[in-house]
Amino acid sequence: MPRNKTMVASQTGFPDTENHWAKPFIEGLANQGMISGFPDGRFRPNLPMNRSQFAAILKNAFSQPEKQRSAPKFIDVSQKHWALEAIQYAYETGFMSGYPGNRFRPDTNLVRVEALVAIAAGLNLPLSEISDVQIELPQLYQDVDKIPGYARDRIATATDANIIVNYPNPKRLRPTQVATRADVAAFIYQALAYLGQVPDLNSKYRVAFQTTREVSHQREFRGVWVASVWNIDWPSEKGLAAENQQEELIEIIERIEELNLNAMFFQVRPTGDALYASELEPWSEWLTGTQGQAPEPFYDPLEFAIAECHKRNIELHAWFNPFRAATGSQVSTKVKPHISVTHSNYVYQHGKQLWMDPGVKTVQDWTYNVILDVVSRYDVDGIHLDDYFYPYPIKDQDFPDQKTYEAYQEAGGELSLGDWRRDNVNKIVERLYTGIKATKPTVKFGISPFGIYRPGQPPQIKGLDQYEAIYADPKKWLEEGWVDYMAPQLYWRIEPPAQSYPVLLQWWTENNPKNRHIYSGNRLTKLDGEDWPISEYEEQVEISRDLVSQLSLGNIFYSMKVFTENRLEVVDQFKSSIYSEPAVVPNMEWLQTEPPKTPGNVRARDGKLSWQKVCDGETCYWTLYRQQDGVWRLYKILNSSTLEIALESGIYALSAVDRIGNESLGVVVSLG
């Protein structure tokens, strides 16, 4: 490159770089108009680069607004020299310096270390907080002993900024070898990438260095049930316009975020119907006022809720009632494909409700297919069943499944009625767990059973026997590992011995041989300031936390309405005392243990932290820690689309988190 006037401008493809290792860097700069080829159309990437040519590229590539010093009149650079202006720019902005005797030596070939030192100095890359890089230099570069002493700090900062590219061996810096045009193009391009001015390139010759630390915080599951049945929580009434439904849903999700909760249990199938677009079951009456009628204008509430939750790093667990077909308060005519219309012989009137027969294979297939359809089509984080399996008992009424049981006996079945009913429930639980994992292994499956397993377990406990009354055997589900978490509805206070919150919670944690997560269900609807003051819930959460070593890892509150109306200023109380800091959900080691990749190209500059996503299409988010008094504290949780944040001065660590809570090492950066 003897003189600018002989160069071919704006050429972005060169015949002699087609198979060259530096092609993406060279073409990237050519596309920006920062370098050009020779009159014959070639780039000549392997030619050495001299100091005046380097100064010219620096001037084209970087716009440094402030002069650091005035350029002298170098005795070997005439006023007619083709690169005079570029040489003055390079000197005045701190990229390059002269030699003794007031010389610049414009035709002297540049060596690689000089090029890197010049870029690091001119861009004023920070020299502080690089001790980790200094320590790692011998591991990064096999020829570290050849780095001149004056250049060591600058090479460390250039390494930390991911500017260095080494061909053919990334571990050999070759600091004293002449820099080729290809070398300089790669260095300049990476410097521009550091500044955020060009896209980063994934070259195998780039030296990718990041200071990492093991960072973590106390994980905790913090959920809330959002019930649609009877319009308890959402929507506030039947038949609201789609826009009003969406506004209410956003208000709920924003309140969840405000409370530092991290999971929403969204009831999408309360009575054999759907609060989402389904070909298997009709639109819910609770949504539009008429079963089978879609929202107008059309939208999909489940899809909408998932998107809004994930924007805010909130898990969405789709909540299903497995066998209830209708409540007494529903007035809309049942329409196809509601199971009471298509298979009315398997749906019974029981009290004021309609109930599917859990012993019929058609019913079990129906529920299974409905749930697996949601797993397949929606980006849910979890599938959740409530405590309605067989219906709760009605005095002097037995559930009318005698014909189904007799058919079972006639086919050779020998189980008692109670054992048969429990077996029906066990089969759907096992089948759902297996089917969910086969479809999407990271989707969690959990159940919220009645909080008492059986009276007398533990000895002081009295109350409903769910094992005999609704034929649920959650102890077996834990023993078999058919759930990822159990959320027993511990809807009682701490003190009364017959139904004691801490005594019951202790029992659940002690009957968990597969080490699944236990999330206590808390009855927030009882909040009244008297028998159930806010302090009761504060103490219950603390009791849950005290058993964290026994996998009591969080709480789920019933229901959202109390938070929505801010009863007794519960929101402020929770924010100030119970959940004053954010937390990521606990990870489930039996699902996946390999942490995600660390965030890519984490850079701190001009009061901002920026990075690149490395999740390979998998939903993920970011945890940002800040070092305070030598301790790492969780500072913020950022959603997957966030790739930049303004921060005040400090030392930070950024980690990637996958959808089940596995966390990468933190990439450490310092903002001055």
Side-chain angles (χ1 to χ4, degrees):
M1 190 168 71
R3 298 186 183 277
N4 273 0
K5 63 182 181 180
T6 66
M7 304 304 290
V8 177
S10 71
Q11 182 174 342
T12 60
F14 306 103
D16 56 344
T17 63
E18 188 59 33
N19 297 311
H20 198 276
W21 69 267
K23 175 185 176 182
F25 302 104
I26 294 167
E27 293 191 352
L29 292 182
N31 284 327
Q32 300 288 326
M34 295 175 181
I35 59 173
S36 52
F38 288 84
D40 61 2
R42 293 185 297 165
F43 185 77
R44 300 178 187 174
N46 298 325
L47 283 183
M49 180 164 284
N50 65 36
R51 286 168 54 81
S52 58
Q53 294 166 349
F54 183 57
I57 292 183
L58 291 172
K59 187 173 185 300
N60 284 339
F62 304 110
S63 298
Q64 302 294 83
E66 294 184 6
K67 295 182 179 180
Q68 296 184 15
R69 56 194 175 181
S70 297
K73 291 183 179 181
F74 294 109
I75 63 173
D76 53 353
V77 180
S78 73
Q79 294 301 301
K80 295 182 180 181
H81 193 282
W82 71 270
L84 174 65
E85 187 178 341
I87 290 170
Q88 289 176 332
Y89 167 84
Y91 183 90
E92 290 171 348
T93 53
F95 281 104
M96 301 180 74
S97 297
Y99 287 89
N102 206 25
R103 295 179 182 275
F104 186 78
R105 299 182 184 174
D107 298 323
T108 300
N109 287 337
L110 198 71
V111 298
R112 285 167 53 86
V113 71
E114 290 172 337
L116 291 166
V117 167
I119 295 170
L123 296 183
N124 197 29
L125 299 183
L127 288 170
S128 60
E129 303 297 333
I130 61 167
S131 58
D132 285 340
V133 194
Q134 295 275 23
I135 293 170
E136 290 294 323
L137 285 182
Q139 281 70 50
L140 291 169
Y141 305 120
Q142 296 169 353
D143 50 358
V144 66
D145 56 320
K146 294 182 180 178
I147 300 174
Y150 78 88
R152 198 175 182 97
D153 283 353
R154 294 295 187 190
I155 292 298
T157 60
T159 301
D160 199 35
N162 291 325
I163 286 174
I164 299 179
V165 183
N166 294 332
Y167 173 85
N169 182 356
K171 286 188 171 292
R172 292 191 65 82
L173 181 63
R174 297 177 291 118
T176 58
Q177 287 190 17
V178 171
T180 65
R181 286 164 52 78
D183 289 331
V184 171
F187 297 160
I188 296 289
Y189 188 95
Q190 284 301 112
L192 291 169
Y194 168 78
L195 297 174
Q197 296 177 10
V198 296
D200 200 77
L201 298 174
N202 291 320
S203 170
K204 64 181 180 180
Y205 304 115
R206 189 188 70 186
V207 179
F209 175 82
Q210 296 187 126
T211 303
T212 57
R213 287 283 184 276
E214 189 97 35
V215 288
S216 63
H217 65 281
Q218 183 61 57
R219 303 293 191 88
E220 187 171 40
F221 195 89
R222 305 168 178 177
V224 61
W225 279 290
V226 178
S228 56
V229 66
W230 298 298
N231 298 109
I232 291 173
D233 295 310
W234 181 87
S236 60
E237 58 183 280
K238 300 176 184 178
L240 288 179
E243 181 181 0
N244 299 123
Q245 292 176 4
Q246 291 174 346
E247 288 174 353
E248 288 187 354
L249 202 47
I250 288 175
E251 287 177 4
I252 285 171
I253 296 169
E254 286 180 340
R255 178 56 56 89
I256 291 172
E257 179 185 33
E258 179 187 1
L259 285 160
N260 280 328
L261 305 180
N262 52 31
M264 170 173 152
F265 290 79
F266 188 44
Q267 191 174 33
V268 297
R269 192 217 197 202
T271 49
D273 45 7
L275 280 90
Y276 59 94
S278 173
E279 294 182 358
L280 303 180
E281 294 189 308
W283 284 99
S284 176
E285 173 186 336
W286 306 111
L287 190 65
T288 62
T290 302
Q291 189 174 93
Q293 181 178 317
E296 180 64 38
F298 179 82
Y299 80 107
D300 188 319
L302 177 54
E303 185 177 65
F304 182 83
I306 290 169
E308 294 299 323
C309 281
H310 287 175
K311 284 180 190 176
R312 299 164 177 85
N313 316 306
I314 297 165
E315 288 194 348
L316 189 139
H317 293 237
W319 166 16
F320 295 81
N321 186 293
F323 299 120
R324 184 174 58 195
T327 70
S329 61
Q330 287 174 280
V331 297
S332 177
T333 301
K334 304 296 183 291
V335 299
K336 290 183 179 179
H338 193 269
I339 193 170
S340 67
V341 178
T342 61
H343 296 82
S344 59
N345 52 325
Y346 299 142
V347 179
Y348 313 139
Q349 185 77 40
H350 186 62
K352 296 180 180 181
Q353 298 184 340
L354 292 182
W355 212 268
M356 306 175 210
D357 187 342
V360 174
K361 186 177 187 303
T362 299
V363 170
Q364 294 216 358
D365 290 347
W366 192 284
T367 293
Y368 176 84
N369 291 335
V370 164
I371 293 175
L372 266 292
D373 173 59
V374 168
V375 174
S376 299
R377 292 194 295 120
Y378 292 88
D379 189 24
V380 294
D381 299 285
I383 294 296
H384 183 76
L385 302 185
D386 55 28
D387 55 326
Y388 290 98
F389 296 99
Y390 282 82
Y392 277 79
I394 299 174
K395 187 177 181 181
D396 299 326
Q397 289 189 38
D398 194 15
F399 185 67
D401 62 349
Q402 190 61 30
K403 288 184 179 179
T404 310
Y405 179 59
E406 289 174 355
Y408 160 76
Q409 290 179 309
E410 290 171 3
E414 298 180 352
L415 294 176
S416 67
L417 178 63
D419 287 342
W420 170 75
R421 286 174 171 173
R422 275 183 293 277
D423 187 57
N424 293 331
V425 176
N426 290 341
K427 283 178 179 176
I428 190 65
V429 170
E430 180 185 15
R431 186 178 176 191
L432 281 170
Y433 186 80
T434 302
I436 290 167
K437 299 311 173 192
T439 305
K440 286 184 182 176
T442 59
V443 171
K444 305 169 186 178
F445 178 51
I447 300 175
S448 56
F450 185 70
I452 297 171
Y453 175 59
R454 305 200 69 178
Q457 294 192 37
Q460 72 192 63
I461 297 301
K462 300 177 182 178
L464 178 84
D465 187 342
Q466 68 174 306
Y467 183 86
E468 290 289 355
I470 59 174
Y471 305 98
D473 191 357
K475 184 171 180 284
K476 180 177 180 65
W477 308 336
L478 284 171
E479 290 169 348
E480 299 292 342
W482 291 341
V483 292
D484 295 306
Y485 65 85
M486 193 73 80
Q489 297 174 24
L490 304 182
Y491 287 176
W492 302 278
R493 289 186 293 137
I494 296 169
E495 294 302 329
Q499 296 96 26
S500 167
Y501 178 91
V503 173
L504 286 167
L505 177 56
Q506 181 73 42
W507 183 90
W508 285 97
T509 63
E510 290 174 351
N511 288 274
N512 182 22
K514 297 287 188 180
N515 294 323
R516 297 319 199 212
H517 291 181
I518 305 295
Y519 308 143
S520 303
N522 301 79
R523 195 175 182 181
L524 192 63
T525 52
K526 297 290 284 184
L527 176 65
D528 60 6
E530 297 179 4
D531 291 337
W532 288 81
I534 288 178
S535 60
E536 173 73 23
Y537 300 97
E538 292 174 330
E539 291 179 37
Q540 289 191 1
V541 171
E542 284 305 312
I543 289 168
S544 300
R545 288 169 173 167
D546 288 343
L547 291 173
V548 67
S549 63
Q550 295 172 244
L551 298 179
S552 167
L553 298 177
N555 300 77
I556 310 173
F557 297 90
Y558 184 82
S559 71
M560 185 67 208
K561 186 174 184 179
V562 179
F563 290 133
T564 300
E565 65 188 25
N566 196 17
R567 186 187 304 175
L568 300 180
E569 299 182 342
V570 64
V571 172
D572 296 331
Q573 291 290 331
F574 265 59
K575 286 165 58 179
S576 63
S577 65
I578 299 179
Y579 299 134
S580 60
E581 296 181 350
V584 172
V585 299
N587 65 315
M588 294 179 170
E589 295 179 355
W590 58 93
L591 297 186
Q592 178 180 312
T593 57
E594 184 177 351
K597 297 176 183 176
T598 56
N601 301 302
V602 181
R603 295 181 175 127
R605 187 170 180 85
D606 298 330
K608 291 183 179 179
L609 185 68
S610 65
W611 60 96
Q612 289 186 333
K613 192 169 184 175
V614 289
C615 293
D616 301 326
E618 176 70 11
T619 301
C620 71
Y621 50 99
W622 319 101
T623 44
L624 181 63
Y625 294 83
R626 186 175 185 184
Q627 193 176 77
Q628 296 176 312
D629 300 323
V631 177
W632 291 106
R633 298 181 66 86
L634 183 62
Y635 182 69
K636 282 183 182 294
I637 302 174
L638 306 166
N639 66 27
S640 61
S641 61
T642 301
L643 298 174
E644 183 178 89
I645 184 173
L647 295 169
E648 60 186 33
S649 298
I651 301 175
Y652 297 89
L654 183 73
S655 298
V657 185
D658 68 19
R659 66 178 307 132
I660 59 171
N662 294 311
E663 190 173 29
S664 74
L665 293 172
V667 179
V668 179
V669 291
S670 176
L671 267 76

